[in-house]
Amino acid sequence: MKVYLDNNATTRMAPEVLDSMLPFLTERYGNPSSFHSFGSDVMEEIESSRERVARLIGASPEEIVFTSGGTESDNAAIMGAVALNPLRPGLLVSTVEHPAVLRTAEVLEERGFPVSFADVLPDGTLDLESCSRQLSETTGIVSVMMANNETGVIMPVGEAAEMAREAGCLFHSDAVQAVGKIPVDVGSMGLDLLSLSGHKFHGPKGVGALYVRRGVELPPLIAGGHQENGMRGGTYNVPGIVGLGMAAELALEGLSGEKARCSGLLEKLEKGVLSSCPGSVLLGGKAPRLPNTCTVLFRGVESEAVMTLLDIQGICVSSGSACSTGSTAPSHVLTAMGVDPRDAVTAIRFSLSRYTSEREIDHVLQELPPIIRKLRELSPYAD
Amino acid sequence: MWKYSEKLMDHFMNPRNSGQLPDPDGHSEVGSPQCGDAMTLDIRVDEQDRISDIRFMTFGCAGAIAAASALTEIARGKTLDEALSISNDEIIDFLGGMPEEKYHCSVMGHEALEGAVDDFRVRRDRVLRHLEQILAEPPAELAGAVSGAGPEVVHVHPSRASIRFSDGSVRGIGDLLGKELSRRTGRSIAVEVVE
């Protein structure tokens, strides 16, 4: 039996999404920028997709720029924002951001931009006081993720955005893990920029979007064409964009009922794991979390050994770290939360989706406890 | 998933010689600062300086667990010096190969073995030191039996020792010597007088 609980890595594409894309991979291959109607008719589909994506996050269609995905959106938002105002070249990010943001911050720092980091509290949420302390007159943009990819902890982006606005800087949120899973409204949250990715909510890979609030004049992401209002040159990724639109539509429909179902399964999984696996600790258990994500420490057993045995049982999960090239560092997210490095390497992330079945959860609850017990018997740290 | 050999997976899933030895002759605890792995190793050593029993505990990935299991299989029955010469390549070959990125996992086993052998030798030297001291300056209750007969140490081990008198006599003082040695070392040590 195959059990896929790694939906924060990527999700299965919805069949409706595939159906919506197929015509554009076959007979409707026209270029939306063409004069003739065979091509220009396709532009209507692009714009309809733009509307769907905008609706999912409470934006206006003209505020949506299609990109190749979350990483591009993060790069473009941050790189663009720090260049907007020479008096405010500073970047402030949380310590638990995705590498798409953290690496971008490091690159900017190497180029001489002032970069600072806001801490998180032990429950994984942003430390707003730390954020406030780090804000300065030279800060141009604050970037805080909406929900953490490893722990699923939801960040107080509304409060952080307000803080940024009062300090006179822009606010970006990497919402790649949040969009499609929890309601997102750029207006009420006060966001200037937001990144989202299609394949994290049952859309296709290689397509995402950047929300740019009206009035924020980012430089073009890619020069060389008139597409996306000159913001991002290059022929439209038509099938991807259409698929993203359909995925956004489905996500919006599913946000109420599906969310409850998913969190019900997650709760069953968490309770089952914690009660049957010795040494297990739920991370961010008291913080608001995505309805699909939990990360559990299995103290005393290294995650890779657990994942290897789970893999044999057909169970796909993930960990924050991997023992690979001899330079394995425990997850920066977990260590930022104050988790001991020796415990951080025992973390396993389970991430569910709308396609997760109760049978899958039952299978995990049957296979996992003996694996943990077996490995703990071998462990010098099992006490 | 890493591409692990069948043999490596077998040693990971069915590790040989895992656990701990009660009152081991040599014990070590090592960790790899590179990836947080950790390992303990216990050895039992016989009169011929051979590893007669060996047990490990590992906190680590599949590669680290399999490498530790392999090491114990290779080391068991070897003399201490032979065991110390076991190379990482030997462990990797034994397991039918290993992804290159995982080579560092096998290094820990060697370090653990060195640690356990060192520990054994330190413990043994300590017993020897105390035993020689007792024989050179025997306490009152032993002085009569020991003096003048040129006792020599035949064999010393962390938990036992044997001595011989130059006249070949067995003077029935093994128990007394053992008690004195145990008192001084804080470890239970049996002493045998051989002909």
Side-chain angles (χ1 to χ4, degrees):
Chain A
M1 182 181 178
K2 188 95 191 150
V3 176
Y4 186 75
L5 296 183
D6 197 14
N7 287 281
N8 284 10
T10 195
T11 58
R12 154 186 289 198
M13 200 159 74
E16 297 92 330
V17 170
L18 177 64
D19 289 345
S20 74
M21 293 168 70
L22 277 174
F24 303 95
L25 290 160
T26 52
E27 66 268 22
R28 296 189 69 187
Y29 57 82
N31 188 328
S33 308
S34 295
F35 173 80
H36 48 73
S37 52
F38 177 66
S40 60
D41 282 356
V42 175
M43 188 59 97
E44 286 172 30
E45 306 291 340
I46 299 285
E47 292 315 317
S48 141
S49 254
R50 203 183 301 281
E51 279 166 32
R52 287 169 153 183
V53 172
R55 207 178 305 134
L56 180 62
I57 60 169
S60 299
E62 64 274 19
E63 294 174 315
I64 300 297
V65 180
F66 290 118
T67 67
S68 67
T71 300
E72 182 190 329
S73 296
D74 286 340
N75 270 261
I78 294 170
M79 295 274 192
V82 292
L84 283 181
N85 183 350
L87 296 175
R88 284 181 169 269
L91 166 65
L92 171 56
V93 301
S94 88
T95 51
V96 298
E97 295 298 308
H98 187 273
V101 169
L102 280 185
R103 275 297 298 149
T104 303
E106 284 167 22
V107 167
L108 285 172
E109 192 169 43
E110 283 157 21
R111 292 185 193 165
F113 290 84
V115 175
S116 47
F117 297 89
D119 296 327
V120 294
L121 299 169
D123 69 359
T125 58
L126 179 71
D127 181 348
L128 286 163
E129 280 177 27
S130 164
C131 189
S132 162
R133 276 197 306 275
Q134 302 284 345
L135 273 171
S136 78
E137 285 167 2
T138 57
T139 309
I141 178 167
V142 178
S143 180
V144 177
M145 66 202 330
M146 197 165 288
N148 185 267
N149 49 307
E150 290 185 30
T151 59
V153 166
I154 297 171
M155 299 294 189
V157 288
E159 287 95 321
E162 194 179 339
M163 218 176 254
R165 190 172 56 249
E166 280 168 7
C169 42
L170 294 173
F171 189 87
H172 165 253
S173 186
D174 171 0
V176 162
Q177 292 294 349
V179 168
K181 295 174 190 163
I182 54 170
V184 174
D185 184 70
V186 290
S188 64
M189 289 173 167
L191 307 184
D192 298 302
L193 299 154
L194 172 145
S195 304
L196 65 88
S197 171
H199 75 105
K200 302 290 192 191
F201 57 101
H202 308 291
K205 293 172 179 63
V207 65
L210 174 63
Y211 155 79
V212 184
R213 185 176 57 76
R214 199 180 296 127
V216 176
E217 301 289 335
L218 277 199
L221 280 48
I222 296 177
H226 57 87
Q227 292 89 349
E228 302 290 304
N229 261 335
M231 276 294 285
R232 188 178 189 271
T235 303
Y236 291 95
N237 169 12
V238 179
I241 291 169
V242 168
L244 175 64
M246 178 55 87
E249 182 82 12
L250 295 170
L252 194 58
E253 283 169 17
L255 269 179
S256 46
E258 280 298 332
K259 195 183 146 201
R261 195 190 74 91
C262 191
S263 53
L265 287 180
L266 186 72
E267 202 181 319
K268 177 174 183 176
L269 177 69
E270 288 173 5
K271 280 192 176 152
V273 166
L274 295 176
S275 64
S276 63
C277 298
S280 54
V281 180
L282 176 65
L283 279 184
K286 295 212 168 69
R289 270 182 304 134
L290 293 174
N292 83 314
T293 309
C294 70
T295 287
V296 180
L297 302 180
F298 293 96
R299 302 186 67 203
V301 295
E302 206 181 75
S303 57
E304 198 186 306
V306 178
M307 288 197 300
T308 305
L309 290 176
L310 285 176
D311 191 73
I312 292 166
Q313 302 300 330
I315 299 170
C316 312
V317 295
S318 172
S319 77
S321 54
C323 174
S324 56
T325 53
S327 62
T328 311
S331 148
H332 70 284
V333 175
L334 272 46
T335 45
M337 290 167 69
V339 177
D340 186 284
R342 184 182 291 169
D343 288 336
V345 296
T346 71
I348 297 277
R349 178 186 72 188
F350 305 88
S351 49
L352 287 56
S353 85
R354 84 167 71 113
Y355 297 116
T356 304
S357 70
E358 186 153 13
R359 275 188 63 217
E360 288 179 287
I361 302 298
D362 290 339
H363 189 63
V364 172
L365 291 178
Q366 184 189 317
E367 299 296 337
L368 182 62
I371 288 174
I372 299 299
R373 280 198 291 273
K374 178 187 161 88
L375 289 171
R376 277 175 70 87
E377 279 171 19
L378 285 180
S379 171
Y381 292 156
D383 41 342
Chain B
M1 263 283 276
W2 297 99
K3 292 278 171 241
Y4 285 133
S5 73
E6 229 170 87
K7 186 146 186 210
L8 189 150
M9 282 304 284
D10 179 40
H11 274 264
F12 166 50
M13 295 176 70
N14 308 294
R16 325 294 200 264
N17 311 309
S18 65
Q20 287 169 302
L21 290 175
D23 202 14
D25 296 331
H27 168 83
S28 69
E29 294 176 17
V30 297
S32 157
Q34 281 179 321
C35 57
D37 285 2
M39 176 174 174
T40 67
L41 194 69
D42 290 347
I43 53 173
R44 180 98 56 221
V45 181
D46 70 12
E47 311 297 322
Q48 282 77 45
D49 247 17
R50 284 184 192 279
I51 296 176
S52 59
D53 203 352
I54 181 165
R55 301 285 150 143
F56 79 93
M57 303 268 268
T58 291
F59 172 75
C61 64
I65 291 170
S69 169
L71 171 83
T72 60
E73 282 287 273
I74 301 170
R76 180 190 282 276
K78 283 197 161 51
T79 65
L80 297 180
D81 287 332
E82 285 166 359
L84 285 175
S85 70
I86 298 169
S87 67
N88 293 323
D89 287 345
E90 208 173 333
I91 293 172
I92 291 162
D93 286 348
F94 183 88
L95 290 171
M98 205 182 219
E100 213 176 306
E101 299 89 333
K102 289 283 177 186
Y103 281 7
H104 71 279
C105 299
S106 68
V107 177
M108 202 169 53
H110 191 263
E111 213 181 294
L113 190 59
E114 277 178 343
V117 171
D118 267 357
D119 183 49
F120 166 79
R121 287 176 171 163
V122 166
R123 290 186 203 211
R124 186 180 57 183
D125 291 351
R126 185 160 167 263
V127 173
L128 177 62
R129 205 170 61 238
H130 282 287
L131 182 57
E132 284 176 344
Q133 205 172 13
I134 294 170
L135 295 176
E137 300 165 35
E141 71 268 27
L142 282 167
V146 170
S147 60
E152 57 166 342
V153 176
V154 178
H155 182 262
V156 176
H157 186 274
S159 63
R160 56 191 179 273
S162 52
I163 58 168
R164 180 191 295 129
F165 289 98
S166 53
D167 60 5
S169 62
V170 182
R171 303 187 182 194
I173 59 159
D175 284 353
L176 275 176
L177 266 173
K179 271 190 195 130
E180 182 60 19
L181 203 47
S182 303
R183 192 184 65 77
R184 295 194 183 194
T185 59
R187 247 180 89 94
S188 165
I189 296 161
V191 177
E192 193 189 0
V193 180
V194 296
E195 287 181 51

